[in-house]
Every structure is written in structure tokens, then in C-alpha cells.
Amino acid sequence: MTQVRTRFAPSPTGYLHIGGARTAIFNWLYARRHGGQFVLRIEDTDLERSTEDSIQQIIDAMNWLGIDYDEGPFRQMDRQAIYNEYIAKLFEKKQAYRCVCSKEELDRKREEAQKAGKKPKYDGTCRGKNIPADCGQPFVVRIATPGGGVTRIDDMLRGVIAFDNEELDDMILVRTDGTPTYNFCVVVDDVDMRISHVIRGDDHLANTPRQMIIYNALGLTPPKFAHVSMILGKDKARLSKRHGAMSVLDYREKGILPDAMVNYLTRLGWSHGDSEVFTRDELKSLFDLDAVGKSAACFDEDKLTWINAEKIKTESEETLAPLAMEFLSAKGISADKGQVVKILPMLRQRARTVKDLAEGMLWFFADSVSYDPTAVKHLAPSIAPVLSTLGDRLENADFASPESVEAVFKALLEERGLKLKDLAQPVRVALTGGTVSPGLFEMMIALGKEKCVERIRKAAQTAQAEGVAK
């Protein structure tokens, strides 16, 4: 049995977007599922648009996603000698020829064909002329496409697709500057790298018959193809920036975990029963093309965030803590990992993103808290003496456990004839500046006696000042 070898071959003309990331993940998982190899190839023959920055961004995004490749990254512009060898083979087989038609001639022929209601394809003027390499004129190299018949593709997702060769022209394989074209390079690379399966977006489907013409001209067996349906926005329109189709690394800045992104993008077109959340190992053992749908998938950032929240609940503290610390550092807070690990259990059940997680820790690391304008109403003048007494009693309290702190509360509430809700919310505002927090007593133990007493006394003064102002 042929070893499974898949590849991801992005063009470095921009960042790695959602669609490209899913293609990479599908190829990676298919290789891992079948004990094969996954190759990274950079298709940089578009010299005007390809940039080193884009190449680095693609590699950084794959590293963040945790998509490891067995070979590469290979760069097409480093492989010119190999392409030349295959061009020579096509000339030997009389399957390629040089064309000296100028741009002006080609434009004129295209216009004439359009006026005549014909397909504006190259008319084969130079075919059969055996123009030599030293002809003294600029030339391109074209392939001699069969004049009739059909080219068939047996797609693993779509079945047999037939293309009429009359619709295809003698496409250019090498430009006048000597650089090879996309479709030619793809064929040579996939052959040379022994790629067994090409899994890519269906926007490449139109290229496939052209590539098959090259395989046939060289007498080579093509890989198996699987063209995956495109990703749409929630409004069923093609995914664009307005849908959130940004760089994959932008989602890292939003606080999305790489495991959540891999999980979500895998489920964007693939299913396994009703399950939504998978570990990496589960995806590697379960993913296969027979469960990939033919219909276009819809990108839903809310669903991605939901999966992210589920991942945060189960992710190890060793992984989450450094990520939260990065967000804290961006806010100018230098946090100790031990302290972050200490308070993670209180926050992870409610956090939707790592950013939420970090922002939920600000009260812990801040020297003092600022009150949310909507939360100050809980610091009413009537609660000032209660807060003041609570501060005094907590100063002498045992902070050994949440229960010991709770006992102080209960005694004070009983004395004042109050319910827990009457005091809990003002204390929450005092300690965090807002009305939402982890469990009150667990939070106080984590924060420590000194900070708790200091913040509660400050809140008492604020509440008292409110009364004086009125």
C-alpha cells in the first residue's frame, strides 16, 4: 500500500486565513490518521506578491496551531533546476513548445475570439513550429493540450468530474523571464515529493484538469484529489473580513486557544456523530474524508468561542497560566506563575477566552481597584458602618479557609439582622470594583487578609462619603 503523504502549500501573499488553516489541518489530520507524512511547501513563484513576512507569518501560525510537519518548509523558488528537468522531459516527449507571440498579438486574438463568440483561448499559432531556445526572441513555454476528448478526475468527495479538453488551451508552463507557473510547479512538486493525496479547497477545482493534462503529458500517475467545499459566513456569503476572516494569529490575540481553533476548524465540514469537542489525539484517530461533507460550511465565531470556553475548563494549569500571564503583561502587570495558578480554578468555569481569564484576574494583582460606575450603587451610605465593622473583624480573623472567613460574615449578619446578599455584593464591589467575581470567600482567601481589609475599609469610606455628599 502506498504511504499516505499529504501537503499544505500556501502562497505567501498574505497571512494564513481561516480557509487556509482548515486546509492545513485536514491534510495534517489525514496524514496522522493513516500513519503518513505531512509536508509544508511554500508556493512563492508569484515574485511580485510573495513576501518573506508572509512566509514567516504562515510558519508562526502553524506553530501556534501546533500543526507539525514532517518535511519542509520547501520553497518553490529554490527548486528551479528540478522544474527545468521536467520541462526538458516534456520537450523530449514533444508535449511542450516555445511560443513567441507578443502580448499585443495575444490581446488582439483574444478580442477577435470574443467578438466571434468563441472562447478567448490561445489559438496554437506557434504549436508545431519547433521554435529553438536561441531564437533571439522572448518566448514562453506552453504545453500541447489534447485537441479533443475529456479529462476526468475521480474526486474522493465529489466522484468523477469530466472536463471537455476543448475548453482548455495550451497553457503557459514557463514565463518569458524563465520562472515556472503555478500549475506546472504544483504537478512537479507533488510528483517529486511523492504526495499521495491532495486535499484542498474547491476554489482549486478549475486548476485540476490543467494539472491532469501535465500529469498525462509526463506519463505520471496523479495523486488522489479531494476538493473541500468553501467556508461561508453566517449570511451564506463567501467568507470575507466582515465575517471575521482575519489572520489565524488574530484569534490568538482574542484569547482563543490553539486546541480550540483546531477543534473548531476540523468540525467545520467534518463530523463524528453529535460530538463537538475533541482532544487532539481524538481528532488524529477519528478524522477521515468519508465524514467530510460536500456542502459549504459556515464560520460562526460564537461557536468557536463556545468551544474555546469548553477547552478552558479542562486545559491544564501549566498551559493556561503562561497564556494568561502574557495578557496580564500586555496590561503592565508582572504576575507570578504560582499566583496565577492559585486563582485559575476560581475563574476558568466562566471564562470564554484567555483574555477573559486574564481580565478576571486584574482585581487580584492590582494595588487598588477602581469602581465600575454601574457598581457604585451597591456602596450605599447605609452599608458603610457594616463594611467598617467587617474590616475590623477580618483583621483579627483566621484566613485559613473559606469557611473561617464565612463564619465572620455570618456572625456580623446575624447581629445586624441582614442577609448574605445585603453584604456580599458591596464586599464584591469593594474587592474587585465590579459586581461579578468568583466565589466570594474563596476569592478572599486568595486575595489575602491585608488586601481584603484595606479594600473593604476604602469601600466603607466611599460609602460614607456618598452619604455626606447627599
Side-chain angles (χ1 to χ4, degrees):
M1 182 179 176
T2 303
Q3 184 189 38
V4 168
R5 284 175 62 85
T6 64
R7 48 75 161 179
F8 177 51
S11 298
T13 56
Y15 49 70
L16 180 61
H17 54 74
I18 293 298
R22 186 187 65 167
T23 297
I25 291 167
F26 276 16
N27 279 280
W28 172 65
L29 290 176
Y30 190 80
R32 297 293 175 256
R33 167 75 172 79
H34 294 280
Q37 295 178 312
F38 174 60
V39 178
L40 175 61
R41 184 171 77 223
I42 305 297
E43 298 188 337
D44 58 350
T45 57
D46 187 342
L47 299 180
E48 290 185 3
R49 299 175 62 211
S50 298
T51 67
E52 292 298 320
D53 183 58
S54 292
I55 292 173
Q56 191 57 53
Q57 283 194 41
I58 289 167
I59 292 173
D60 289 347
M62 291 187 68
N63 288 340
W64 176 67
L65 289 169
I67 304 176
D68 57 319
Y69 37 92
D70 302 294
E71 296 178 18
F74 298 109
R75 295 177 62 161
Q76 286 181 328
M77 290 310 296
D78 294 336
R79 296 168 54 77
Q80 187 76 44
I82 297 173
Y83 304 135
N84 291 340
E85 289 176 14
Y86 278 86
I87 285 293
K89 289 179 183 179
L90 287 172
F91 273 111
E92 287 173 15
K93 292 173 172 286
K94 301 190 183 306
Q95 296 292 327
Y97 62 93
R98 297 177 187 87
C99 170
V100 294
C101 294
S102 67
K103 181 181 182 302
E104 291 73 23
E105 287 180 85
L106 295 174
D107 288 342
R108 177 178 54 78
K109 291 177 180 181
R110 191 176 295 111
E111 287 178 15
E112 289 175 354
Q114 288 175 329
K115 287 178 182 178
K118 298 178 181 178
K119 187 176 180 65
K121 65 178 186 176
Y122 180 62
D123 63 0
T125 299
C126 294
R127 187 167 177 169
K129 289 186 177 180
N130 296 319
I131 297 169
D134 59 355
C135 63
Q137 293 177 264
F139 64 82
V140 298
V141 176
R142 294 181 181 271
I143 193 162
T145 299
V150 298
T151 296
R152 290 183 173 83
I153 301 160
D154 189 2
D155 191 277
M156 295 178 71
L157 298 179
R158 301 166 186 275
V160 177
I161 307 171
F163 295 86
D164 189 345
N165 289 338
E166 288 289 343
E167 296 295 309
L168 307 173
D169 65 358
D170 291 357
M171 63 184 157
I172 296 173
L173 303 180
V174 181
R175 304 179 184 92
T176 55
D177 64 1
T179 58
T181 57
Y182 167 77
N183 280 311
F184 178 60
C185 291
V186 167
V187 170
V188 172
D189 289 339
D190 285 344
V191 169
D192 191 62
M193 296 175 188
R194 309 185 314 283
I195 301 303
S196 65
H197 294 74
V198 172
I199 305 168
R200 59 189 179 189
D202 62 3
D203 54 330
H204 285 282
L205 194 55
N207 289 320
T208 309
R210 294 176 169 83
Q211 293 166 11
M212 288 292 288
I213 294 292
I214 301 173
Y215 280 111
N216 294 337
L218 288 166
L220 298 169
T221 301
K224 294 181 179 179
F225 292 99
H227 290 90
V228 182
S229 294
M230 69 174 67
I231 300 174
L232 304 178
K234 291 174 75 172
D235 58 1
K236 306 298 182 183
R238 184 162 185 158
L239 198 63
S240 64
K241 288 184 179 180
R242 65 191 175 89
H243 297 109
M246 58 188 80
S247 164
V248 168
L249 290 177
D250 285 339
Y251 286 94
R252 177 179 63 179
E253 303 308 313
K254 286 187 170 191
I256 299 296
L257 294 170
D259 275 5
M261 181 60 84
V262 169
N263 186 150
Y264 176 71
L265 291 181
T266 304
R267 281 286 290 112
L268 209 57
W270 172 84
S271 61
H272 182 73
D274 296 326
S275 300
E276 294 286 354
V277 182
F278 300 86
T279 65
R280 248 169 222 262
D281 287 341
E282 286 172 338
L283 291 176
K284 289 177 184 178
S285 65
L286 294 172
F287 180 85
D288 221 332
L289 292 174
D290 58 3
V292 173
K294 296 178 184 178
S295 301
C298 292
F299 182 77
D300 184 345
E301 192 164 326
D302 291 337
K303 185 66 173 291
L304 167 61
T305 305
W306 177 82
I307 288 178
N308 197 62
E310 294 300 302
K311 291 286 186 179
I312 286 176
K313 292 174 185 176
T314 59
E315 187 59 86
S316 71
E317 292 174 349
E318 283 298 309
T319 297
L320 283 181
L323 295 176
M325 290 166 68
E326 287 181 22
F327 279 90
L328 290 169
S329 178
K331 289 184 174 292
I333 294 174
S334 179
D336 177 79
K337 183 178 178 181
Q339 292 176 312
V340 173
V341 168
K342 182 179 179 181
I343 58 177
L344 269 175
M346 291 185 281
L347 301 167
R348 66 193 308 163
Q349 294 303 315
R350 291 185 178 183
R352 299 173 75 236
T353 67
V354 179
K355 189 175 181 180
D356 287 347
L357 204 59
E359 289 178 348
M361 297 178 182
L362 295 177
W363 55 268
F364 182 85
F365 293 102
D367 292 329
S368 62
V369 295
S370 299
Y371 304 128
D372 187 311
T374 62
V376 176
K377 65 182 180 181
H378 295 285
L379 300 182
S382 60
I383 203 67
V386 184
L387 288 173
S388 181
T389 302
L390 178 64
D392 293 341
R393 294 190 181 182
L394 285 174
E395 192 166 26
N396 299 310
D398 179 10
F399 266 62
S401 69
E403 291 74 21
S404 60
V405 175
E406 185 178 6
V408 176
F409 269 73
K410 284 182 176 179
L412 180 58
L413 292 172
E414 189 173 338
E415 286 177 22
R416 299 296 175 102
L418 299 173
K419 295 180 179 178
L420 180 59
K421 67 177 183 179
D422 298 325
L423 183 57
Q425 203 68 318
V427 171
R428 190 170 277 112
V429 174
L431 300 180
T432 70
T435 57
V436 178
S437 76
L440 181 60
F441 304 119
E442 290 81 3
M443 177 178 69
M444 292 178 71
I445 294 298
L447 194 59
K449 180 187 293 189
E450 184 178 345
K451 282 190 174 181
C452 284
V453 170
E454 179 184 341
R455 292 182 186 184
I456 289 171
R457 283 177 171 164
K458 177 191 171 187
Q461 293 170 359
T462 299
Q464 188 174 20
E466 285 287 314
V468 171
K470 291 179 180 179

